[in-house]
Amino acid sequence: VKSRQPSQISMAGVRKALSDLKEQQDSLTSQIEEIDEEIKEAQDQNYELEQTMLSLKHQETLIQQKIAATEKQEKAKLDKIEKLQAEHPNVEEASENLSTKSQNTDEKHDELIDELKEAQELATRNDMQYEELRKRLTHIEQNRDRIL
């Protein structure tokens, strides 16, 4: 009977060790799943930020195009004013009308410049968020790799 007891104790120890290993495996699996979920969330945020950056860059391009078009219109109007003044030196009313239009063009130009600055600031903030998210994703992936 005594010869069977060490074997039984040994089997009980093995069962306990297997049970402990199973618990550790379940815990690690749970941690991996949590980290994988964090990685997915970070990747989703990363994608959204990249899309926002692309949109902002597109908006910036459009605003720059509007600014260039406005500057071109302004130059054309100023040229027209000079031409009219040369052709009709006594016609002050036409000159004043074109000057008013030129001022409106200047105001529009200033508004577009302000929009461009706002878009650039937003793009800068998004760049910083993207970089922070990228660092976080790298850290999470390193933690996952360490656990695996």
Side-chain angles (χ1 to χ4, degrees):
V1 174
K2 288 185 180 180
S3 65
R4 285 188 163 181
Q5 285 180 346
S7 158
Q8 289 175 346
I9 292 173
S10 171
M11 289 301 284
V14 168
R15 283 189 202 113
K16 173 72 171 129
L18 286 174
S19 175
D20 290 345
L21 288 172
K22 176 66 176 154
E23 286 180 30
Q24 288 177 358
Q25 180 185 13
D26 290 345
S27 174
L28 288 173
T29 299
S30 175
Q31 289 176 6
I32 289 171
E33 288 171 356
E34 288 174 13
I35 289 173
D36 283 344
E37 184 61 31
E38 288 179 17
I39 289 171
K40 184 183 180 324
E41 288 176 17
Q43 288 171 334
D44 289 346
Q45 289 176 348
N46 184 27
Y47 175 79
E48 288 177 22
L49 284 173
E50 286 175 348
Q51 293 303 310
T52 301
M53 282 177 28
L54 288 174
S55 175
L56 287 172
K57 286 180 181 179
H58 179 69
Q59 288 176 9
E60 179 181 2
T61 300
L62 291 176
I63 290 171
Q64 287 174 341
Q65 290 172 350
K66 286 180 183 178
I67 289 170
T70 302
E71 289 172 344
K72 186 176 178 181
Q73 288 174 349
E74 179 182 6
K75 183 177 179 346
K77 287 179 182 180
L78 290 173
D79 291 347
K80 188 172 183 179
I81 289 171
E82 291 173 3
K83 181 180 175 185
L84 286 172
Q85 286 175 340
E87 290 176 1
H88 308 284
N90 297 329
V91 183
E92 185 66 30
E93 187 175 306
S95 178
E96 289 176 5
N97 187 21
L98 289 175
S99 292
T100 301
K101 287 181 181 179
S102 177
Q103 288 172 349
N104 291 343
T105 303
D106 288 343
E107 291 171 5
K108 181 68 175 175
H109 179 267
D110 291 343
E111 288 174 13
L112 291 173
I113 291 289
D114 290 342
E115 283 182 33
L116 176 61
K117 286 179 183 176
E118 289 175 16
Q120 288 172 331
E121 290 172 3
L122 186 55
T124 300
R125 284 194 304 272
N126 280 337
D127 284 343
M128 290 188 299
Q129 288 177 342
Y130 171 79
E131 188 60 30
E132 182 178 315
L133 198 61
R134 187 188 62 72
K135 288 177 184 176
R136 187 171 145 213
L137 178 60
T138 301
H139 178 71
I140 290 171
E141 289 173 340
Q142 289 171 347
N143 284 343
R144 181 187 63 187
D145 292 342
R146 216 174 38 241
I147 289 175
L148 294 177

